[in-house]
PDB file of all heavy atoms in Angstrom:
ATOM      1  N   PRO A  90      97.764  51.885 118.568  1.00  0.00           N
ATOM      2  CA  PRO A  90      98.468  50.607 118.335  1.00  0.00           C
ATOM      3  C   PRO A  90      99.698  50.702 117.370  1.00  0.00           C
ATOM      4  O   PRO A  90     100.582  49.934 117.445  1.00  0.00           O
ATOM      5  CB  PRO A  90      97.456  49.632 117.701  1.00  0.00           C
ATOM      6  CG  PRO A  90      96.354  50.596 117.155  1.00  0.00           C
ATOM      7  CD  PRO A  90      96.443  51.806 118.045  1.00  0.00           C
ATOM      8  N   GLY A  91      99.745  51.798 116.521  1.00  0.00           N
ATOM      9  CA  GLY A  91     100.873  51.978 115.641  1.00  0.00           C
ATOM     10  C   GLY A  91     101.995  52.655 116.186  1.00  0.00           C
ATOM     11  O   GLY A  91     103.062  52.773 115.547  1.00  0.00           O
ATOM     12  N   LYS A  92     101.887  53.167 117.371  1.00  0.00           N
ATOM     13  CA  LYS A  92     103.043  53.905 118.069  1.00  0.00           C
ATOM     14  C   LYS A  92     104.108  52.944 118.552  1.00  0.00           C
ATOM     15  O   LYS A  92     103.827  51.803 118.643  1.00  0.00           O
ATOM     16  CB  LYS A  92     102.517  54.727 119.316  1.00  0.00           C
ATOM     17  CG  LYS A  92     101.597  55.784 118.966  1.00  0.00           C
ATOM     18  CD  LYS A  92     102.218  56.958 118.368  1.00  0.00           C
ATOM     19  CE  LYS A  92     101.228  58.097 118.119  1.00  0.00           C
ATOM     20  NZ  LYS A  92     101.819  59.109 117.331  1.00  0.00           N
ATOM     21  N   MET A  93     105.254  53.511 118.661  1.00  0.00           N
ATOM     22  CA  MET A  93     106.360  52.660 119.108  1.00  0.00           C
ATOM     23  C   MET A  93     106.016  51.976 120.494  1.00  0.00           C
ATOM     24  O   MET A  93     105.190  52.512 121.225  1.00  0.00           O
ATOM     25  CB  MET A  93     107.675  53.551 119.293  1.00  0.00           C
ATOM     26  CG  MET A  93     107.525  54.555 120.432  1.00  0.00           C
ATOM     27  SD  MET A  93     109.076  55.407 120.602  1.00  0.00           S
ATOM     28  CE  MET A  93     108.943  55.953 122.293  1.00  0.00           C
ATOM     29  N   SER A  94     106.627  50.989 120.730  1.00  0.00           N
ATOM     30  CA  SER A  94     106.406  50.269 121.960  1.00  0.00           C
ATOM     31  C   SER A  94     107.051  50.939 123.081  1.00  0.00           C
ATOM     32  O   SER A  94     108.222  50.893 123.316  1.00  0.00           O
ATOM     33  CB  SER A  94     107.032  48.821 121.902  1.00  0.00           C
ATOM     34  OG  SER A  94     106.859  48.195 123.192  1.00  0.00           O
ATOM     35  N   VAL A  95     106.239  51.756 123.800  1.00  0.00           N
ATOM     36  CA  VAL A  95     106.715  52.572 124.902  1.00  0.00           C
ATOM     37  C   VAL A  95     107.257  51.705 126.028  1.00  0.00           C
ATOM     38  O   VAL A  95     108.315  52.021 126.576  1.00  0.00           O
ATOM     39  CB  VAL A  95     105.607  53.440 125.469  1.00  0.00           C
ATOM     40  CG1 VAL A  95     106.055  54.320 126.569  1.00  0.00           C
ATOM     41  CG2 VAL A  95     105.140  54.411 124.284  1.00  0.00           C
ATOM     42  N   ALA A  96     106.613  50.626 126.259  1.00  0.00           N
ATOM     43  CA  ALA A  96     107.022  49.679 127.360  1.00  0.00           C
ATOM     44  C   ALA A  96     108.407  49.188 127.121  1.00  0.00           C
ATOM     45  O   ALA A  96     109.197  49.094 127.990  1.00  0.00           O
ATOM     46  CB  ALA A  96     106.005  48.606 127.554  1.00  0.00           C
ATOM     47  N   ALA A  97     108.745  48.902 125.836  1.00  0.00           N
ATOM     48  CA  ALA A  97     110.017  48.309 125.514  1.00  0.00           C
ATOM     49  C   ALA A  97     111.087  49.310 125.679  1.00  0.00           C
ATOM     50  O   ALA A  97     112.266  49.006 126.048  1.00  0.00           O
ATOM     51  CB  ALA A  97     110.010  47.775 124.124  1.00  0.00           C
ATOM     52  N   GLY A  98     110.783  50.599 125.304  1.00  0.00           N
ATOM     53  CA  GLY A  98     111.829  51.641 125.346  1.00  0.00           C
ATOM     54  C   GLY A  98     111.818  52.448 126.589  1.00  0.00           C
ATOM     55  O   GLY A  98     112.526  53.444 126.714  1.00  0.00           O
ATOM     56  N   MET A  99     111.058  52.020 127.582  1.00  0.00           N
ATOM     57  CA  MET A  99     110.881  52.820 128.844  1.00  0.00           C
ATOM     58  C   MET A  99     112.183  52.735 129.603  1.00  0.00           C
ATOM     59  O   MET A  99     112.844  51.760 129.724  1.00  0.00           O
ATOM     60  CB  MET A  99     109.801  52.215 129.685  1.00  0.00           C
ATOM     61  CG  MET A  99     109.446  53.080 130.915  1.00  0.00           C
ATOM     62  SD  MET A  99     108.698  54.659 130.398  1.00  0.00           S
ATOM     63  CE  MET A  99     107.369  54.131 129.462  1.00  0.00           C
ATOM     64  N   ARG A 100     112.587  53.909 130.043  1.00  0.00           N
ATOM     65  CA  ARG A 100     113.871  54.060 130.799  1.00  0.00           C
ATOM     66  C   ARG A 100     113.501  54.829 132.145  1.00  0.00           C
ATOM     67  O   ARG A 100     112.563  55.537 132.232  1.00  0.00           O
ATOM     68  CB  ARG A 100     114.918  54.780 130.112  1.00  0.00           C
ATOM     69  CG  ARG A 100     114.638  56.188 129.920  1.00  0.00           C
ATOM     70  CD  ARG A 100     115.718  56.875 128.998  1.00  0.00           C
ATOM     71  NE  ARG A 100     115.682  58.352 129.065  1.00  0.00           N
ATOM     72  CZ  ARG A 100     114.746  59.022 128.462  1.00  0.00           C
ATOM     73  NH1 ARG A 100     113.771  58.492 127.807  1.00  0.00           N
ATOM     74  NH2 ARG A 100     114.787  60.362 128.480  1.00  0.00           N
ATOM     75  N   LYS A 101     114.295  54.519 133.105  1.00  0.00           N
ATOM     76  CA  LYS A 101     114.158  55.226 134.399  1.00  0.00           C
ATOM     77  C   LYS A 101     114.521  56.631 134.279  1.00  0.00           C
ATOM     78  O   LYS A 101     115.538  56.903 133.589  1.00  0.00           O
ATOM     79  CB  LYS A 101     114.979  54.504 135.456  1.00  0.00           C
ATOM     80  CG  LYS A 101     114.666  54.960 136.836  1.00  0.00           C
ATOM     81  CD  LYS A 101     115.420  54.223 137.899  1.00  0.00           C
ATOM     82  CE  LYS A 101     115.206  54.805 139.298  1.00  0.00           C
ATOM     83  NZ  LYS A 101     115.842  54.130 140.303  1.00  0.00           N
TER      84      LYS A 101
END
Side-chain angles (χ1 to χ4, degrees):
K92 295 285 184 188
M93 65 176 206
S94 173
V95 177
M99 192 62 62
R100 70 185 191 286
K101 186 174 179 181

